[in-house]
Short mmCIF file of all heavy atoms in Angstrom, two decimals:
data_model
loop_
_atom_site.label_atom_id
_atom_site.label_comp_id
_atom_site.label_asym_id
_atom_site.label_seq_id
_atom_site.Cartn_x
_atom_site.Cartn_y
_atom_site.Cartn_z
N SER A 266 2.34 -11.42 -10.76
CA SER A 266 3.31 -10.80 -11.53
C SER A 266 4.41 -10.29 -10.71
O SER A 266 4.40 -10.18 -9.45
CB SER A 266 2.77 -9.80 -12.45
OG SER A 266 2.09 -8.78 -11.59
N ALA A 275 10.37 1.48 6.65
CA ALA A 275 9.56 1.98 7.64
C ALA A 275 8.11 1.48 7.53
O ALA A 275 7.60 1.16 8.46
CB ALA A 275 9.58 3.56 7.58
N GLY A 300 -11.68 5.26 -7.66
CA GLY A 300 -12.03 6.62 -8.29
C GLY A 300 -12.71 7.36 -7.14
O GLY A 300 -13.25 6.83 -6.26
N PHE A 312 -6.42 -4.50 5.37
CA PHE A 312 -5.88 -5.86 5.63
C PHE A 312 -6.69 -6.92 5.03
O PHE A 312 -7.92 -6.82 5.08
CB PHE A 312 -5.62 -6.08 7.02
CG PHE A 312 -4.43 -5.33 7.65
CD1 PHE A 312 -4.56 -4.20 8.53
CD2 PHE A 312 -3.12 -5.72 7.24
CE1 PHE A 312 -3.56 -3.51 9.02
CE2 PHE A 312 -1.96 -4.94 7.72
CZ PHE A 312 -2.26 -3.81 8.57
N PRO A 318 -5.52 -14.48 -7.71
CA PRO A 318 -4.68 -14.96 -8.65
C PRO A 318 -3.99 -13.84 -9.48
O PRO A 318 -2.82 -14.01 -9.97
CB PRO A 318 -5.57 -15.85 -9.62
CG PRO A 318 -6.70 -16.25 -8.78
CD PRO A 318 -6.87 -15.13 -7.78
N GLU A 341 2.38 1.98 -10.81
CA GLU A 341 3.61 1.51 -11.48
C GLU A 341 4.74 2.28 -11.10
O GLU A 341 4.84 3.53 -11.18
CB GLU A 341 3.51 1.52 -13.02
CG GLU A 341 4.47 0.68 -13.68
CD GLU A 341 4.48 -0.75 -13.59
OE1 GLU A 341 3.38 -1.26 -13.38
OE2 GLU A 341 5.46 -1.41 -13.74
N ALA A 354 1.14 10.51 11.87
CA ALA A 354 1.75 9.36 11.42
C ALA A 354 0.92 8.73 10.34
O ALA A 354 -0.35 8.54 10.60
CB ALA A 354 1.99 8.40 12.52
N ASN A 360 4.19 8.30 -5.60
CA ASN A 360 3.82 7.72 -6.93
C ASN A 360 4.27 8.55 -8.02
O ASN A 360 3.79 9.71 -8.14
CB ASN A 360 2.28 7.61 -6.94
CG ASN A 360 1.74 6.89 -8.13
OD1 ASN A 360 2.42 6.75 -9.18
ND2 ASN A 360 0.41 6.57 -8.01
N SER A 365 -0.60 15.40 -9.73
CA SER A 365 -0.97 16.23 -8.73
C SER A 365 -1.63 15.54 -7.57
O SER A 365 -2.10 14.42 -7.81
CB SER A 365 -1.91 17.42 -9.09
OG SER A 365 -3.17 16.89 -9.55
#
Side-chain angles (χ1 to χ4, degrees):
S266 60
F312 284 109
E341 194 72 24
N360 188 346
S365 65

